[in-house]
Amino acid sequence: MAATHLPGTLPDPNYQPTYRSNGAGDDLAALVAPYSLSRVQLAEATGIADEATVNSWVEQCCPELAADAPAPLEPVLRYLDETYLPDPANWPGDNAYDEYILENIAARMLARVVANTFAADRSGDYRELLALVATLVLIARYWEGTDEAFLTLLNAEPTAEAEESLQEAIANAPESLHPLLAELLLPALREARGTFTAAEAQLLTGYVLAAGYYAGEHPYETLNGIHVAFDADDLTLPDAELMSRVEDVLKANFSAARAGANTTDNPEPHYVTLPGDQDGYETAAHLIAALPQAHDVIAFSTPEGDNTETLAADRRAAFTLYLCYLMLGDDESSEGRAAELYRASREN
């Protein structure tokens, strides 16, 4: 966090960087209040401390808690916001923590709770669950209603305010995504209403608010954290060789484009071709979570015998999930790619 000063002048020698939160501590604390995590899980979720440091946090904010008891998230989050993060002694180097770190920590905490809660019971339909969550994350990005209304979106009967704010959020979303939302994702959302317990619905919508509304950027990172937690027999993850190959193609295309910028040459980009089936689409989703620009170099082959409804249905959930990862990207090209793929799927 740099000091502001006029061009050509030196920074104020008395300037001291400070941690500035966004004032969302109370709202975030309310979202995480019902939940606890083990010390190991909490260290993994926060991403800024080891287990020993996490134990010291818990001792400070919950001195009566047994050493082996799960740590309640609300007092830990408040301790971080009010005591740990503002203290320069705890910063990584000389710069203060980013102002959105508390929001991101809350999102990662809740992502871990979601994974713990659903990984066992939802292993059979986890792709549908993740697509539903991603849909809600997109809605949260454009949400202008209250938190209380958003938390009812998975209820059998959401509030009238929630329905009105939902329509406003859809209208505010990029126009290119409207067909994808209206025809594929929102019907799935409405179908899912009432299928969760009250506690499950609160957890999912709470995570979504933290990841999509408060934290805002890179929500596919926590979504992918939930994704890889599902211990399903058919879960497909990219291996190191494929990750390296995608990175190499991205670098090669960038270098070729830069070299041809001042010439009349228009070099053909290279692609990494994945099978256009369940494994291929799910692998692609993981790839763009790790390498957001990977969608620029991913192509899909047509599976042999792809003229039956059975094959189409078999891969539909993974295809939808890939579209969801794309629409949560940080640039218009990612959203545009999701819209393009969906449009092509309707025409075939």
Side-chain angles (χ1 to χ4, degrees):
M1 189 178 297
T4 56
H5 55 277
L6 295 174
T9 64
L10 294 174
D12 184 340
N14 297 318
Y15 169 76
Q16 296 293 328
T18 56
Y19 165 71
R20 297 185 179 92
S21 73
N22 289 307
D26 288 343
D27 293 329
L28 295 170
L31 292 178
V32 304
Y35 313 112
S36 300
L37 288 172
S38 73
R39 315 301 171 88
V40 173
Q41 292 171 338
L42 190 52
E44 293 172 350
T46 59
I48 62 171
D50 57 19
E51 186 180 352
T53 302
V54 167
N55 281 329
S56 72
W57 299 346
V58 178
E59 289 172 4
Q60 292 292 321
C61 62
C62 305
E64 304 300 322
L65 193 68
D68 58 349
L73 300 186
E74 179 187 9
V76 171
L77 196 71
R78 290 190 183 278
Y79 173 77
L80 290 175
D81 188 33
E82 297 167 4
T83 304
Y84 187 84
L85 295 175
D87 186 350
N90 300 319
W91 297 348
D94 296 329
N95 291 321
Y97 278 110
D98 179 86
E99 61 182 322
Y100 286 99
I101 189 170
L102 193 73
E103 288 86 340
N104 283 292
I105 286 174
R108 291 197 295 265
M109 285 176 168
L110 289 169
R112 188 56 189 255
V113 178
V114 170
N116 291 350
T117 302
F118 290 96
D121 295 339
R122 291 276 179 164
S123 60
D125 60 352
Y126 69 89
R127 297 180 187 90
E128 290 87 346
L129 175 65
L130 288 166
L132 171 65
V133 171
T135 301
L136 289 168
V137 170
L138 183 73
I139 291 168
R141 280 182 160 180
Y142 303 100
W143 187 260
E144 296 180 355
T146 64
D147 288 8
E148 292 76 15
F150 191 93
L151 292 172
T152 71
L153 283 178
L154 286 178
N155 293 0
E157 296 184 4
T159 64
E161 179 191 350
E163 286 290 5
E164 182 179 347
S165 296
L166 174 61
Q167 296 307 314
E168 292 174 354
I170 294 166
N172 292 336
E175 188 173 350
S176 63
L177 296 180
H178 286 182
L180 174 57
L181 281 165
E183 299 169 10
L184 183 65
L185 301 179
L186 290 177
L189 167 60
R190 294 192 169 95
E191 187 176 332
R193 285 174 171 169
T195 64
F196 299 99
T197 67
E200 289 173 340
Q202 180 184 2
L203 171 58
L204 289 174
T205 51
Y207 157 70
V208 165
L209 268 181
Y213 180 77
Y214 287 102
E217 295 184 357
H218 316 303
Y220 45 74
E221 292 178 358
T222 51
L223 183 71
N224 198 58
I226 299 170
H227 193 166
V228 299
F230 284 96
D231 187 21
D233 293 338
D234 59 348
L235 178 66
T236 307
L237 298 170
D239 58 24
E241 188 276 332
L242 178 58
M243 292 283 288
S244 178
R245 185 151 54 95
V246 171
E247 288 180 325
D248 290 344
V249 172
L250 281 168
K251 292 175 184 176
N253 285 352
F254 176 77
S255 297
R258 185 171 57 180
N262 297 320
T263 71
T264 57
D265 295 335
N266 188 17
E268 286 291 326
H270 297 281
Y271 294 94
V272 174
T273 301
L274 300 175
D277 57 15
Q278 177 174 284
D279 288 352
Y281 288 123
E282 187 163 19
T283 297
H286 289 296
L287 282 170
I288 62 173
L291 301 166
Q293 296 305 314
H295 70 87
D296 288 333
V297 300
I298 292 175
F300 297 99
S301 63
T302 301
E304 292 184 13
D306 188 23
N307 56 5
T308 68
E309 188 63 27
T310 302
L311 274 175
D314 184 52
R315 71 175 192 272
R316 185 176 297 121
F319 175 68
T320 301
L321 184 57
Y322 178 57
L323 296 182
C324 288
Y325 271 80
L326 282 171
M327 72 182 187
L328 295 181
D330 294 331
D331 57 62
E332 293 182 2
S333 67
S334 180
E335 295 171 352
R337 181 62 174 154
E340 175 189 332
L341 285 172
Y342 177 64
R343 185 167 55 250
S345 74
R346 289 190 304 172
E347 295 170 354
N348 292 336

